Amino acid sequence: MPSILSTDASPVSQRAPLTNTHARSIRDRNRGLVLRTLMQRSGVSRADLARVTGLARPTISEVVKSLIDEGVIRESGQSQDARPGKPAVMLEFDQRAVQVIALDLSAPDQVVGALATPDGALAHRRVRPTDGDAVQAAGAIVAELALLASSPPLGVGVGMPSGSPALLGLHALLAQTVDAPVHLFDDADLAADAELQFGGLDSDFLLVRLGTRIGTAIRAFDDDGAPVERSTGARELAHVIAGGDPGDACPCGRIGCVHAWGSVPAVSRRLDEATAADRGRVLTAAGTRLGTSLSVIAAAVDLPTIVLSGPPTVVGDELIAAAAAAVQAASHPSRGPEVRGSTLDDAVLRGAAARVVSHAFSAR
């Protein structure tokens, strides 16, 4: 199937004479506008598309025919509206016709990948140990998923800890591996995107992602309940001094940072060394230190919900309960935020798909 990637939102009237390059650019821009409209609106007719996009009806007919031929959109039946004349044929975007290669590099010892569709569905999920070279492991998964894709991937979306020296050269390698745009994103931002789109949250929230590092992202809504422009904040949570000695030095060189208490490598090491009876104590201590630091941020930004995201071996009931108790203990009794775990599996992968699709079809 030909590429459906388009990056411009403005409708363009066709005028002659045009160079082949100019004509192709117009077609791509009009295709992108039609696709964006169909992704945002379910069940629209050709007449609806012409009215919403501002494109001429002959142009709409041409674009719709090519997209139906490629399997990207489909006719879903006749309109049920009581209107004079012949009922309009409704169109809908086929979510499964667009695939994104999504990667999660937030864990220190493995790469997780899958083919993802705009509705958040995942297929051909793959897990590969890094064996000391996360870049090569990521390249191997991307190459495998590219062969499994039923159509040319719209792009590659990678969630990763920001600033990791172990991932230098990743973008260049992936760009050589697959013929599709490669996008690198902060893993916490992608997990927050997934919560926003697939998690059912409808109020402002702070997401805390526990992985190789501790990352954070804030998402907010306007007065009408619509998500506002993406915002990020509280980036320095990992280096808030939580007190005590967790037995691990923070990468910044200090003792007692939240990162040393709550990052997945630090907690996993303590769990490996603990007896079965002490595992709960390790998770409770990490959650308490994390929650104590989060309470300061929660009071400063006044968010109603804090979502903890990460591998279930670490971000489970014990750590979440301890963090929630610590936040509530330090908060106003009637205004403390709710602290809960994410309900999404593979949130970073789902967020990567949502971000790549948004990037491809958003207005430029």
Side-chain angles (χ1 to χ4, degrees):
M1 184 179 75
S3 171
I4 61 174
L5 179 62
S6 177
T7 58
D8 198 304
S10 304
V12 180
S13 300
Q14 298 188 20
R15 299 180 298 271
L18 297 172
T19 65
N20 288 337
T21 300
H22 192 187
R24 187 182 309 113
S25 175
I26 288 175
R27 287 194 297 270
D28 287 346
R29 292 161 72 183
N30 290 339
R31 284 161 60 86
L33 183 56
V34 169
L35 278 168
R36 281 190 295 277
T37 303
L38 286 169
M39 289 180 69
Q40 295 165 0
R41 300 166 178 256
S42 60
V44 296
S45 67
R46 289 167 176 81
D48 294 331
L49 285 173
R51 184 177 61 256
V52 172
T53 64
L55 295 172
R57 290 205 179 192
T59 301
I60 290 293
S61 296
E62 179 184 349
V63 172
V64 167
K65 181 180 184 304
S66 68
L67 293 174
I68 289 176
D69 290 345
E70 294 167 13
V72 179
I73 65 176
R74 60 193 174 196
E75 296 180 337
S76 57
Q78 294 183 337
S79 170
Q80 300 302 309
D81 293 344
R83 298 178 181 177
K86 183 179 179 181
V89 176
M90 309 307 286
L91 304 166
E92 64 181 17
F93 179 80
D94 186 352
Q95 296 278 352
R96 302 306 168 92
V98 173
Q99 292 183 309
V100 172
I101 296 177
L103 292 183
D104 179 1
L105 277 70
S106 60
D109 57 353
Q110 67 179 23
V111 177
V112 182
L115 289 174
T117 49
D119 58 0
L122 303 177
H124 303 294
R125 188 179 185 276
R126 296 289 187 269
V127 180
R128 191 180 186 95
T130 59
D131 292 330
D133 193 336
V135 172
Q136 292 300 319
I141 286 185
V142 166
E144 182 178 357
L145 292 174
L147 293 175
L148 292 170
S150 58
S151 60
L154 185 65
V156 180
V158 183
M160 53 185 280
S162 298
S164 173
L167 299 177
L168 292 176
L170 176 64
H171 188 282
L173 176 65
L174 298 186
Q176 294 172 358
T177 303
V178 63
D179 183 19
V182 176
H183 307 278
L184 307 182
F185 304 111
D186 180 85
D187 55 341
D189 278 339
L190 295 187
D193 283 355
E195 292 290 340
L196 190 65
Q197 186 157 341
F198 308 116
L201 286 172
D202 57 2
S203 61
D204 302 354
F205 65 93
L206 167 68
L207 181 129
V208 182
R209 176 73 183 180
L210 275 63
T212 300
R213 66 166 179 84
I214 297 178
T216 57
I218 293 173
R219 295 292 181 266
F221 295 79
D222 63 20
D223 293 338
D224 295 324
V228 298
E229 183 177 352
R230 290 187 181 94
S231 61
T232 58
R235 291 296 190 198
E236 294 306 310
L237 169 65
H239 301 295
V240 172
I241 295 297
D245 182 0
D248 294 85
C250 181
C252 73
R254 298 186 297 178
I255 299 296
C257 288
V258 174
H259 177 92
W261 279 104
S263 70
V264 170
V267 177
S268 295
R269 182 193 62 76
R270 291 198 295 276
L271 288 174
D272 289 342
E273 295 175 353
T275 64
D278 285 338
R279 290 177 63 84
R281 178 186 56 78
V282 169
L283 294 170
T284 297
T288 299
R289 301 289 179 171
L290 175 64
T292 300
S293 301
L294 279 174
S295 64
V296 178
I297 296 173
V301 297
D302 192 25
L303 295 171
T305 306
I306 297 174
V307 180
L308 303 184
S309 172
T313 53
V314 173
V315 189
D317 292 343
E318 290 166 304
L319 184 143
I320 294 168
V327 169
Q328 290 299 323
S331 303
H332 189 283
S334 63
R335 296 205 303 265
E338 174 194 10
V339 179
R340 67 171 183 81
S342 173
T343 60
L344 296 176
D345 295 328
D346 289 318
V348 172
L349 297 181
R350 299 177 196 276
R355 186 73 73 95
V356 170
V357 170
S358 175
H359 188 277
F361 298 127
S362 63
R364 299 287 180 175

